[in-house]
Every structure is written in C-alpha cells, then in structure tokens.
Amino acid sequence: ASNRDGIVALTDTVFNQGNTDAVQAAFAEMFVGHPGDYTREQFAENAAGLRAAMPDLKAEALRVVAEGNWAVFHFVADGTFTEDMVDPAGTIPATGNPVHISNILALQFDEQGRVTGAWELFDNLAFLTQLGVIPS
C-alpha cells in the first residue's frame, strides 16, 4: 500500500476504531515525533487518551500529499468532551463541550513504509479553549 493509503487507514484504525496497537506496526521503533520528541508509545497513549475523553471521536486524514518517503496531510477530528482527559501534565475534567481538532502533519517513512518521524502543527490554544480549560 502507498504511504497515502497507509495514513488514511491508520487514522481510521487508531482514532475511529480505537486500535492503538496498530501504531506498533506502522511506526518504526526509532520513531520520534515533534515537537516534544515523543515516542511511538507516547503517540499511542495520547491517541487512546483522546478517544477515552471523547468516545464519539470521528477523525479523518484529508488532503494527503505523498512523495517519496514523505507525506503531509490535514488531520481533522470532532468529538464531545464527555470524559476526563488524563494527560502527563494532569487531568482535565470533562465539560461536555464539542471539540474540533485541526492539525497539519508531515510524516517521514523508512524503506519498509514505517513512520520514522512526525512534525505536527497543532493549535493548542484553540483545543484548550474548546475543552473549557482556557476561557474564550
């Protein structure tokens, strides 16, 4: 499968179906995510935490552009913040607020088609405002 098809399938498997075990196979052991130098295990934990906090989460990989061992795409997800979100920085109590997530990601792949690196542009201020952590 192409890197493009893999991104679309992985987004569905991990975020819509909640199968974070798929990250182990799709990401190389040496994977590093940016910013923050996070590991593939931390990526899987973050995805699981997001789904736990928003059980109705629906995610999509849009506008996927792949060339060689790189791909860039627009990750969008919508859900309702009905459960507490547990994060390394602490727990954010559920508010019942609807949340829209919009990220741009650039992924690098190895020769086996596994993700070795991710660079993410994420509007954390908008996310925390929607969660109700920061007043609007």
Side-chain angles (χ1 to χ4, degrees), residues 75-86:
F75 173 90
V76 295
D78 291 282
T80 310
F81 184 35
T82 58
E83 303 295 327
D84 292 353
M85 183 177 292
V86 179

Side-chain angles (χ1 to χ4, degrees), residues 3-5 7-8 61-66 71-74:
N3 291 340
R4 184 203 180 287
D5 294 341
I7 288 169
V8 171
L62 303 174
R63 295 173 274 287
V64 181
V65 178
V72 176
F73 69 103
H74 183 195

